[in-house]
């Protein structure tokens, strides 16, 4: 009989999900804004190098009402050398597509798309470091019940 019930072929059977998760894990490990040991604004670190900026479908206009189905935010990490790591995430839990106006990326940078869960594989997540720049730097149409992650480079 079988030694165990683990199906060793699952990574092959679910190769698209496996690739998506592998890219997500690698993306997180490469971005100080996502691996900072403290939360943004933590009072244990005066002058924190991590800042969270909350958005809605428009920059700096979050909607905290109970029926809201949208959340967007930027995590900005300032490095000791004066550089920055900025990640933007938008989440649309509404069933219809919504337009999100993007915040302005840091000076000299453009938004590059890392993940879009509304896109088919392999465009649902790009290899970290190889994210394509968005042609439209002003806004993005986000499908229903999906999320995007952009990185400023």
């Amino acid at each position: 009989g079988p030694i165990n019930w683990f199906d060793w072929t699952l990574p092959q059977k679910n190769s698209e999900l496996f690739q998506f998760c592998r890219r997500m894990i690698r993306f997180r490990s490469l971005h100080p804004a996502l691996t900072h040991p403290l939360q943004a604004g933590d009072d244990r670190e005066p002058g924190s190098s991590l800042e969270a900026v909350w958005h809605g479908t428009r920059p700096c206009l979050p909607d905290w009402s109970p029926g809201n189905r949208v959340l967007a935010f930027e995590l900005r990490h300032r490095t000791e050398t004066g550089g920055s790591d900025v990640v933007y995430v938008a989440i649309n839990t509404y069933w219809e597509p919504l337009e999100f106006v993007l915040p302005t990326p840091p000076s000299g940078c453009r938004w590059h798309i890392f993940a879009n869960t509304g896109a088919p594989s392999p465009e649902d997540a790009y290899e970290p470091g190889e994210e394509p720049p968005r042609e439209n730097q002003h806004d993005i149409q986000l499908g229903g019940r999906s999320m995007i992650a952009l990185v400023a480079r």
Side-chain angles (χ1 to χ4, degrees), residues 20 110 128 144:
F20 179 85
R110 298 184 69 207

Side-chain angles (χ1 to χ4, degrees), residues 57-59 74 86 88 99-114 131-141 148-153:
T57 56
R58 302 287 179 263
E74 277 177 277
V86 180
Y88 171 82
E99 178 185 286
F100 285 72
V101 175
L102 300 173
T104 304
S107 180
C109 293
R110 298 184 69 207
W111 289 120
H112 294 247
I113 188 149
F114 164 65
E131 305 93 345
R134 283 198 39 82
E135 284 187 35
N136 180 347
Q137 293 282 306
H138 180 262
D139 56 60
I140 190 167
Q141 185 84 5
I148 59 158
L150 307 178
V151 60
R153 286 203 320 238

Side-chain angles (χ1 to χ4, degrees), residues 56-112:
T57 56
R58 302 287 179 263
C60 299
L61 294 173
D63 179 355
W64 302 116
S65 65
N68 180 41
R69 296 181 176 272
V70 164
L71 180 65
F73 60 90
E74 277 177 277
L75 290 176
R76 301 173 180 169
H77 179 267
R78 291 182 313 279
T79 64
E80 293 175 3
T81 59
S84 66
D85 179 41
V86 180
V87 175
Y88 171 82
V89 175
I91 303 164
N92 177 13
T93 66
Y94 192 59
W95 53 86
E96 295 287 334
L98 293 173
E99 178 185 286
F100 285 72
V101 175
L102 300 173
T104 304
S107 180
C109 293
R110 298 184 69 207
W111 289 120
H112 294 247

Side-chain angles (χ1 to χ4, degrees), residues 2 5 8 20 33 36 73:
W5 294 104
W8 293 98
F20 179 85
H36 197 278
F73 60 90

